[in-house]
Amino acid sequence: MELDEGCRYTSVGHPEKSQEYLMVLDGQLTLDVNNETFILHTDDTITFTASAKHVYLNSGKGILKAAIINFYPV
């Protein structure tokens, strides 16, 4: 995922029991999920249940680059 400086992306959520794994490759990400806010920097990782709405905000300078893997259990 790439987000320009100051931009945000809102995900309405994924299927029940889905998991999201995220690593910031470059920049600073503010992640709002499950009524919590996390500030992640380059090389930081996080995993969370992705069935609820979550918001990604590029809160740093320059382009935010992050890798995201979504796991949907069978």
Side-chain angles (χ1 to χ4, degrees):
M1 169 182 73
E2 291 188 2
L3 283 176
D4 290 330
E5 187 174 323
C7 290
R8 74 179 58 234
Y9 176 77
T10 301
S11 173
V12 295
H14 304 281
E16 186 179 357
K17 298 182 182 177
S18 61
Q19 292 289 311
E20 189 156 315
Y21 302 85
L22 184 146
M23 179 178 186
V24 176
L25 302 173
D26 192 28
Q28 179 176 295
L29 168 68
T30 298
L31 173 66
D32 290 321
V33 61
N34 297 323
N35 297 315
E36 292 187 73
T37 300
F38 302 92
I39 299 175
L40 305 169
H41 301 92
T42 301
D43 295 330
D44 285 346
T45 61
I46 192 168
T47 185
F48 57 92
T49 302
S51 57
K53 173 183 165 184
H54 44 285
V55 179
Y56 311 95
L57 169 66
N58 179 350
S59 54
K61 300 289 183 186
I63 296 174
L64 166 71
K65 296 179 182 180
I68 299 173
I69 297 171
N70 289 298
F71 173 69
Y72 304 103
V74 180

Coordinates of all heavy atoms in Angstrom, one line a residue:
M1 N 0.8 -1.2 0.0 CA 0.0 0.0 0.0 C 0.9 1.2 0.0 O 1.9 1.2 0.7 CB -0.9 0.0 1.2 CG -1.6 1.3 1.5 SD -2.6 1.3 3.0 CE -1.4 1.4 4.2
E2 N 0.5 2.2 -0.7 CA 1.2 3.5 -0.7 C 0.1 4.6 -0.5 O -0.9 4.6 -1.1 CB 1.9 3.8 -2.0 CG 3.1 2.9 -2.2 CD 4.0 3.3 -3.4 OE1 3.7 4.3 -4.1 OE2 4.9 2.6 -3.7
L3 N 0.5 5.5 0.4 CA -0.4 6.7 0.7 C 0.4 8.0 0.6 O 1.5 8.0 1.2 CB -1.0 6.6 2.1 CG -2.2 5.7 2.3 CD1 -2.6 5.7 3.7 CD2 -3.4 6.0 1.4
D4 N -0.1 9.0 -0.1 CA 0.6 10.2 -0.1 C 0.5 10.9 1.2 O -0.4 10.6 2.0 CB 0.0 11.2 -1.2 CG 0.3 10.7 -2.6 OD1 1.3 10.1 -2.8 OD2 -0.6 10.9 -3.5
E5 N 1.4 11.8 1.5 CA 1.5 12.6 2.7 C 0.2 13.2 3.1 O -0.5 13.8 2.2 CB 2.6 13.7 2.6 CG 2.9 14.4 3.9 CD 4.0 15.4 3.7 OE1 5.0 15.0 3.0 OE2 4.0 16.4 4.3
G6 N -0.3 12.9 4.3 CA -1.6 13.5 4.8 C -2.8 12.8 4.3 O -3.9 13.1 4.8
C7 N -2.7 11.8 3.5 CA -3.9 11.0 3.0 C -4.2 9.9 3.9 O -3.4 9.4 4.7 CB -3.6 10.5 1.6 SG -3.5 11.8 0.3
R8 N -5.5 9.5 3.8 CA -6.0 8.4 4.6 C -6.8 7.4 3.7 O -7.3 7.8 2.7 CB -6.8 8.9 5.8 CG -8.2 9.4 5.4 CD -9.0 9.9 6.6 NE -8.3 10.9 7.3 CZ -8.1 10.9 8.7 NH1 -8.5 9.9 9.4 NH2 -7.5 11.9 9.2
Y9 N -6.9 6.2 4.2 CA -7.8 5.2 3.6 C -8.6 4.5 4.6 O -8.0 4.1 5.7 CB -6.9 4.2 2.8 CG -7.8 3.1 2.2 CD1 -8.5 3.3 1.1 CD2 -7.9 1.8 2.9 CE1 -9.3 2.3 0.5 CE2 -8.7 0.8 2.3 CZ -9.4 1.1 1.2 OH -10.2 0.1 0.7
T10 N -9.9 4.4 4.4 CA -10.8 3.7 5.4 C -11.2 2.4 4.8 O -11.8 2.4 3.7 CB -12.0 4.6 5.7 OG1 -11.5 5.8 6.2 CG2 -12.9 3.9 6.7
S11 N -11.0 1.3 5.5 CA -11.5 0.0 5.2 C -12.8 -0.3 6.0 O -12.8 -0.1 7.2 CB -10.5 -1.1 5.5 OG -11.0 -2.3 5.2
V12 N -13.8 -0.7 5.3 CA -15.1 -1.0 6.1 C -15.0 -2.3 6.8 O -15.9 -2.6 7.6 CB -16.3 -1.0 5.1 CG1 -16.5 0.4 4.5 CG2 -16.1 -2.0 4.0
G13 N -13.9 -3.0 6.6 CA -13.8 -4.3 7.3 C -13.8 -5.4 6.4 O -14.3 -5.3 5.2
H14 N -13.3 -6.6 6.9 CA -13.3 -7.8 6.1 C -14.2 -8.8 6.7 O -14.7 -8.6 7.8 CB -11.8 -8.3 6.0 CG -10.9 -7.2 5.5 ND1 -10.7 -6.9 4.2 CD2 -10.0 -6.4 6.1 CE1 -9.8 -6.0 4.0 NE2 -9.4 -5.6 5.2
P15 N -14.3 -10.0 6.1 CA -15.1 -11.1 6.7 C -14.8 -11.4 8.1 O -13.6 -11.2 8.6 CB -14.9 -12.3 5.8 CG -14.5 -11.7 4.5 CD -13.7 -10.5 4.8
E16 N -15.7 -11.9 8.8 CA -15.6 -12.3 10.2 C -14.4 -13.2 10.4 O -14.1 -14.1 9.6 CB -16.8 -13.0 10.7 CG -16.8 -13.3 12.2 CD -18.1 -14.0 12.7 OE1 -19.0 -14.2 11.8 OE2 -18.1 -14.4 13.8
K17 N -13.6 -13.0 11.5 CA -12.4 -13.8 11.8 C -11.2 -13.6 10.9 O -10.2 -14.2 11.1 CB -12.7 -15.3 11.9 CG -13.8 -15.7 12.9 CD -14.0 -17.2 12.9 CE -15.1 -17.5 13.9 NZ -15.4 -19.0 13.9
S18 N -11.3 -12.6 10.0 CA -10.1 -12.3 9.2 C -9.1 -11.6 10.0 O -9.4 -10.9 10.9 CB -10.5 -11.5 7.9 OG -11.1 -10.3 8.3
Q19 N -7.8 -11.9 9.6 CA -6.7 -11.2 10.3 C -5.9 -10.4 9.3 O -5.8 -10.8 8.1 CB -5.7 -12.3 10.9 CG -6.3 -13.1 12.0 CD -6.4 -12.2 13.3 OE1 -5.5 -11.5 13.7 NE2 -7.6 -12.2 13.9
E20 N -5.4 -9.3 9.8 CA -4.5 -8.5 8.9 C -3.1 -8.3 9.5 O -3.0 -8.2 10.7 CB -5.1 -7.1 8.7 CG -4.5 -6.2 7.7 CD -5.4 -5.2 7.1 OE1 -6.5 -5.5 6.8 OE2 -4.9 -4.0 7.0
Y21 N -2.1 -8.5 8.7 CA -0.7 -8.4 9.1 C -0.1 -7.2 8.3 O -0.3 -7.2 7.1 CB 0.0 -9.7 8.8 CG -0.6 -10.9 9.5 CD1 -1.6 -11.6 8.9 CD2 -0.1 -11.3 10.7 CE1 -2.2 -12.7 9.5 CE2 -0.7 -12.4 11.3 CZ -1.7 -13.1 10.7 OH -2.3 -14.2 11.4
L22 N 0.5 -6.3 9.0 CA 1.0 -5.1 8.3 C 2.4 -4.8 8.8 O 2.7 -4.9 9.9 CB 0.0 -3.9 8.7 CG 0.3 -2.6 8.0 CD1 -1.0 -1.9 7.8 CD2 1.2 -1.7 8.9
M23 N 3.2 -4.4 7.8 CA 4.6 -3.9 8.1 C 4.8 -2.6 7.4 O 4.5 -2.5 6.2 CB 5.6 -4.9 7.7 CG 7.0 -4.4 7.9 SD 8.2 -5.7 7.5 CE 9.7 -4.9 8.1
V24 N 5.3 -1.6 8.1 CA 5.6 -0.3 7.5 C 7.0 -0.4 6.9 O 7.9 -0.7 7.6 CB 5.6 0.9 8.6 CG1 6.0 2.2 7.9 CG2 4.2 1.0 9.1
L25 N 7.0 -0.2 5.6 CA 8.3 -0.3 4.9 C 9.0 1.1 4.8 O 10.3 1.1 4.9 CB 8.0 -0.7 3.4 CG 7.3 -2.1 3.3 CD1 7.0 -2.3 1.8 CD2 8.2 -3.2 3.9
D26 N 8.3 2.2 4.8 CA 8.9 3.5 4.8 C 7.8 4.5 5.2 O 6.7 4.5 4.7 CB 9.4 3.8 3.4 CG 10.3 5.1 3.4 OD1 10.9 5.3 4.4 OD2 10.4 5.7 2.4
G27 N 8.1 5.4 6.2 CA 7.2 6.4 6.6 C 6.6 6.2 8.0 O 7.1 5.4 8.8
Q28 N 5.6 6.9 8.2 CA 4.9 6.8 9.5 C 3.4 6.6 9.3 O 2.8 7.4 8.5 CB 5.1 8.1 10.3 CG 4.3 8.1 11.7 CD 4.6 9.3 12.5 OE1 5.8 9.5 12.9 NE2 3.6 10.1 12.7
L29 N 2.8 5.6 9.9 CA 1.4 5.3 9.7 C 0.7 5.4 11.1 O 1.2 4.9 12.1 CB 1.3 3.8 9.3 CG -0.1 3.2 9.3 CD1 -1.0 3.8 8.3 CD2 -0.1 1.7 9.1
T30 N -0.4 6.1 11.0 CA -1.3 6.1 12.2 C -2.5 5.2 11.8 O -3.2 5.4 10.8 CB -1.8 7.5 12.5 OG1 -0.7 8.3 12.9 CG2 -2.8 7.5 13.7
L31 N -2.7 4.1 12.6 CA -3.7 3.1 12.3 C -4.8 3.2 13.4 O -4.5 3.1 14.6 CB -3.1 1.7 12.3 CG -4.0 0.6 12.2 CD1 -4.8 0.5 10.9 CD2 -3.3 -0.7 12.5
D32 N -6.0 3.4 13.0 CA -7.1 3.4 14.0 C -7.9 2.1 13.8 O -8.4 1.9 12.6 CB -8.1 4.6 13.8 CG -7.4 5.9 14.2 OD1 -6.7 5.9 15.2 OD2 -7.7 6.9 13.5
V33 N -8.0 1.3 14.8 CA -8.7 0.0 14.7 C -9.2 -0.4 16.1 O -8.5 -0.2 17.1 CB -7.8 -1.1 14.1 CG1 -6.6 -1.4 14.9 CG2 -8.5 -2.4 13.8
N34 N -10.5 -0.9 16.1 CA -11.1 -1.3 17.3 C -11.0 -0.3 18.5 O -10.6 -0.6 19.6 CB -10.5 -2.7 17.8 CG -10.7 -3.8 16.8 OD1 -11.7 -3.8 16.2 ND2 -9.7 -4.6 16.6
N35 N -11.3 0.9 18.1 CA -11.2 2.1 19.1 C -9.9 2.3 19.7 O -9.8 2.8 20.8 CB -12.3 1.9 20.2 CG -13.7 1.9 19.6 OD1 -14.0 2.7 18.8 ND2 -14.5 0.9 20.0
E36 N -8.8 1.9 19.0 CA -7.4 2.1 19.5 C -6.7 2.8 18.4 O -6.9 2.6 17.2 CB -6.7 0.8 19.9 CG -7.3 0.2 21.1 CD -6.4 -1.0 21.6 OE1 -5.3 -0.8 22.1 OE2 -6.9 -2.1 21.3
T37 N -5.7 3.6 18.7 CA -4.8 4.3 17.7 C -3.4 3.8 18.0 O -2.9 3.8 19.1 CB -4.9 5.8 17.9 OG1 -6.3 6.2 17.7 CG2 -4.0 6.5 16.9
F38 N -2.7 3.4 16.9 CA -1.4 2.9 16.9 C -0.6 3.8 15.9 O -1.0 4.1 14.8 CB -1.3 1.5 16.4 CG -2.1 0.6 17.3 CD1 -3.4 0.2 16.9 CD2 -1.6 0.0 18.4 CE1 -4.2 -0.6 17.7 CE2 -2.3 -0.9 19.2 CZ -3.6 -1.2 18.8
I39 N 0.6 4.2 16.4 CA 1.5 5.0 15.5 C 2.7 4.1 15.2 O 3.4 3.6 16.1 CB 2.0 6.3 16.1 CG1 0.8 7.2 16.4 CG2 3.0 7.0 15.2 CD1 1.1 8.5 17.1
L40 N 2.9 3.8 13.9 CA 3.9 2.8 13.5 C 4.9 3.5 12.6 O 4.5 4.4 11.8 CB 3.3 1.7 12.7 CG 2.1 0.9 13.4 CD1 1.4 0.0 12.5 CD2 2.7 0.1 14.6
H41 N 6.2 3.2 12.7 CA 7.3 3.7 11.9 C 7.9 2.7 11.1 O 7.6 1.5 11.2 CB 8.3 4.4 12.9 CG 7.7 5.4 13.7 ND1 7.2 5.2 15.0 CD2 7.5 6.8 13.5 CE1 6.8 6.3 15.5 NE2 6.9 7.3 14.7
T42 N 8.9 3.0 10.3 CA 9.6 2.1 9.4 C 10.0 0.9 10.2 O 10.6 1.0 11.3 CB 10.8 2.8 8.7 OG1 10.3 3.9 8.0 CG2 11.5 1.9 7.8
D43 N 9.7 -0.3 9.6 CA 10.1 -1.6 10.2 C 9.2 -2.1 11.3 O 9.3 -3.1 11.8 CB 11.5 -1.7 10.6 CG 12.5 -1.6 9.4 OD1 12.1 -2.0 8.3 OD2 13.6 -1.1 9.6
D44 N 8.2 -1.2 11.7 CA 7.2 -1.7 12.7 C 6.2 -2.6 12.1 O 5.9 -2.5 10.9 CB 6.5 -0.5 13.4 CG 7.3 0.3 14.3 OD1 8.4 -0.2 14.7 OD2 6.9 1.4 14.7
T45 N 5.7 -3.6 12.9 CA 4.6 -4.5 12.4 C 3.5 -4.5 13.4 O 3.7 -4.2 14.6 CB 5.2 -5.9 12.2 OG1 5.7 -6.4 13.5 CG2 6.3 -6.0 11.2
I46 N 2.3 -5.0 12.9 CA 1.2 -5.1 13.7 C 0.3 -6.2 13.1 O 0.3 -6.3 11.9 CB 0.4 -3.8 13.9 CG1 -0.6 -3.9 15.0 CG2 -0.2 -3.3 12.6 CD1 -1.2 -2.5 15.5
T47 N -0.5 -6.8 13.9 CA -1.5 -7.7 13.4 C -2.8 -7.4 14.2 O -2.7 -7.1 15.4 CB -1.1 -9.2 13.6 OG1 -2.1 -10.0 13.0 CG2 -0.9 -9.6 15.0
F48 N -3.9 -7.6 13.6 CA -5.2 -7.3 14.2 C -6.3 -8.0 13.5 O -6.2 -8.4 12.3 CB -5.5 -5.8 14.3 CG -5.5 -5.1 13.0 CD1 -6.7 -4.9 12.3 CD2 -4.3 -4.6 12.4 CE1 -6.7 -4.3 11.0 CE2 -4.3 -3.9 11.2 CZ -5.5 -3.8 10.5
T49 N -7.4 -8.2 14.2 CA -8.7 -8.7 13.7 C -9.2 -7.7 12.8 O -9.5 -6.5 13.2 CB -9.7 -9.2 14.7 OG1 -9.0 -10.1 15.6 CG2 -10.9 -9.7 14.1
A50 N -9.4 -8.0 11.5 CA -9.7 -7.0 10.5 C -11.2 -6.9 10.1 O -11.6 -6.3 9.1 CB -8.9 -7.2 9.2
S51 N -12.1 -7.5 10.9 CA -13.5 -7.5 10.6 C -14.2 -6.2 10.8 O -15.2 -5.9 10.3 CB -14.2 -8.7 11.3 OG -14.0 -8.5 12.7
A52 N -13.6 -5.4 11.7 CA -14.2 -4.0 12.0 C -13.5 -3.0 11.1 O -12.5 -3.2 10.5 CB -13.9 -3.7 13.4
K53 N -14.2 -1.9 11.0 CA -13.7 -0.7 10.3 C -12.3 -0.4 10.8 O -12.1 -0.4 12.0 CB -14.6 0.5 10.4 CG -14.1 1.8 9.8 CD -15.1 2.9 10.1 CE -14.5 4.2 9.9 NZ -15.4 5.3 10.2
H54 N -11.4 0.0 9.9 CA -10.1 0.5 10.3 C -9.6 1.5 9.3 O -10.0 1.5 8.1 CB -9.0 -0.7 10.4 CG -9.1 -1.7 9.4 ND1 -10.0 -2.7 9.3 CD2 -8.2 -1.9 8.3 CE1 -9.8 -3.5 8.2 NE2 -8.7 -3.0 7.6
V55 N -8.8 2.4 9.8 CA -8.4 3.6 9.1 C -6.9 3.7 9.1 O -6.2 3.7 10.1 CB -9.0 4.9 9.6 CG1 -8.5 6.1 8.8 CG2 -10.5 4.8 9.7
Y56 N -6.3 3.9 7.9 CA -4.8 4.1 7.7 C -4.6 5.6 7.4 O -5.3 6.1 6.5 CB -4.3 3.3 6.5 CG -4.7 1.9 6.5 CD1 -5.8 1.5 5.8 CD2 -3.9 0.9 7.2 CE1 -6.1 0.1 5.7 CE2 -4.3 -0.4 7.1 CZ -5.4 -0.8 6.4 OH -5.7 -2.1 6.3
L57 N -3.7 6.3 8.1 CA -3.4 7.7 7.8 C -1.9 7.8 7.7 O -1.1 7.4 8.6 CB -3.9 8.5 9.0 CG -3.4 10.0 9.0 CD1 -3.9 10.8 7.8 CD2 -3.7 10.7 10.3
N58 N -1.5 8.4 6.6 CA 0.0 8.8 6.5 C 0.2 10.0 7.3 O -0.1 11.1 6.9 CB 0.3 9.0 5.0 CG 1.8 9.4 4.8 OD1 2.5 9.6 5.8 ND2 2.3 9.4 3.6
S59 N 0.7 9.8 8.5 CA 0.9 10.9 9.4 C 2.4 11.4 9.4 O 2.8 12.2 10.3 CB 0.5 10.5 10.9 OG 1.2 9.3 11.2
G60 N 3.2 10.9 8.5 CA 4.6 11.3 8.4 C 4.8 12.2 7.2 O 3.9 12.7 6.5
K61 N 6.1 12.4 6.9 CA 6.5 13.2 5.7 C 6.8 12.2 4.5 O 7.3 11.1 4.7 CB 7.8 13.9 6.0 CG 7.7 14.9 7.2 CD 6.9 16.1 6.8 CE 6.9 17.1 7.9 NZ 6.0 18.2 7.6
G62 N 6.4 12.7 3.3 CA 6.6 11.9 2.1 C 5.6 10.7 2.0 O 4.6 10.7 2.7
I63 N 5.9 9.8 1.1 CA 5.0 8.7 0.8 C 5.1 7.6 1.8 O 6.2 7.2 2.1 CB 5.2 8.2 -0.7 CG1 4.9 9.3 -1.7 CG2 4.4 7.0 -0.9 CD1 5.3 8.9 -3.1
L64 N 4.0 7.1 2.3 CA 4.0 6.0 3.2 C 4.0 4.7 2.4 O 3.2 4.6 1.4 CB 2.7 6.0 4.1 CG 2.4 4.7 4.8 CD1 3.4 4.5 5.9 CD2 1.0 4.7 5.3
K65 N 4.8 3.8 2.7 CA 4.8 2.5 2.0 C 4.7 1.4 3.1 O 5.4 1.4 4.1 CB 6.1 2.3 1.2 CG 6.3 3.3 0.1 CD 7.6 3.1 -0.7 CE 7.7 4.1 -1.7 NZ 8.9 4.0 -2.5
A66 N 3.7 0.5 2.8 CA 3.5 -0.6 3.8 C 3.1 -1.8 3.0 O 2.5 -1.8 2.0 CB 2.3 -0.2 4.8
A67 N 3.4 -3.0 3.6 CA 3.0 -4.3 3.1 C 1.9 -4.8 4.0 O 2.0 -4.8 5.2 CB 4.2 -5.2 3.1
I68 N 0.8 -5.3 3.3 CA -0.4 -5.8 4.0 C -0.7 -7.2 3.5 O -0.7 -7.4 2.3 CB -1.6 -4.9 3.8 CG1 -1.3 -3.5 4.4 CG2 -2.8 -5.5 4.5 CD1 -2.4 -2.5 4.1
I69 N -0.9 -8.1 4.5 CA -1.3 -9.5 4.2 C -2.6 -9.7 4.9 O -2.7 -9.5 6.1 CB -0.3 -10.5 4.6 CG1 1.0 -10.4 3.8 CG2 -0.9 -11.9 4.4 CD1 2.1 -11.2 4.3
N70 N -3.7 -10.1 4.2 CA -5.0 -10.4 4.8 C -5.1 -11.9 4.8 O -4.9 -12.6 3.8 CB -6.1 -9.7 4.0 CG -6.1 -8.3 4.3 OD1 -6.3 -7.8 5.4 ND2 -6.0 -7.5 3.2
F71 N -5.5 -12.5 5.9 CA -5.7 -13.9 6.1 C -7.2 -14.1 6.3 O -7.8 -13.6 7.2 CB -4.9 -14.5 7.3 CG -5.2 -15.9 7.6 CD1 -4.9 -16.9 6.7 CD2 -5.9 -16.2 8.7 CE1 -5.2 -18.2 6.9 CE2 -6.2 -17.5 9.0 CZ -5.9 -18.5 8.1
Y72 N -7.8 -14.9 5.4 CA -9.2 -15.3 5.5 C -9.3 -16.8 5.9 O -9.1 -17.6 5.0 CB -10.0 -14.9 4.3 CG -9.8 -13.5 3.8 CD1 -9.0 -13.1 2.8 CD2 -10.6 -12.5 4.5 CE1 -8.8 -11.8 2.4 CE2 -10.4 -11.2 4.1 CZ -9.6 -10.8 3.1 OH -9.5 -9.5 2.7
P73 N -9.6 -17.1 7.1 CA -9.7 -18.6 7.5 C -10.8 -19.3 6.7 O -11.9 -18.7 6.4 CB -10.0 -18.6 9.0 CG -10.4 -17.2 9.3 CD -10.0 -16.3 8.2
V74 N -10.6 -20.5 6.4 CA -11.6 -21.3 5.7 C -12.6 -21.9 6.6 O -12.3 -22.3 7.7 CB -10.8 -22.4 4.9 CG1 -11.8 -23.3 4.1 CG2 -9.8 -21.8 4.0

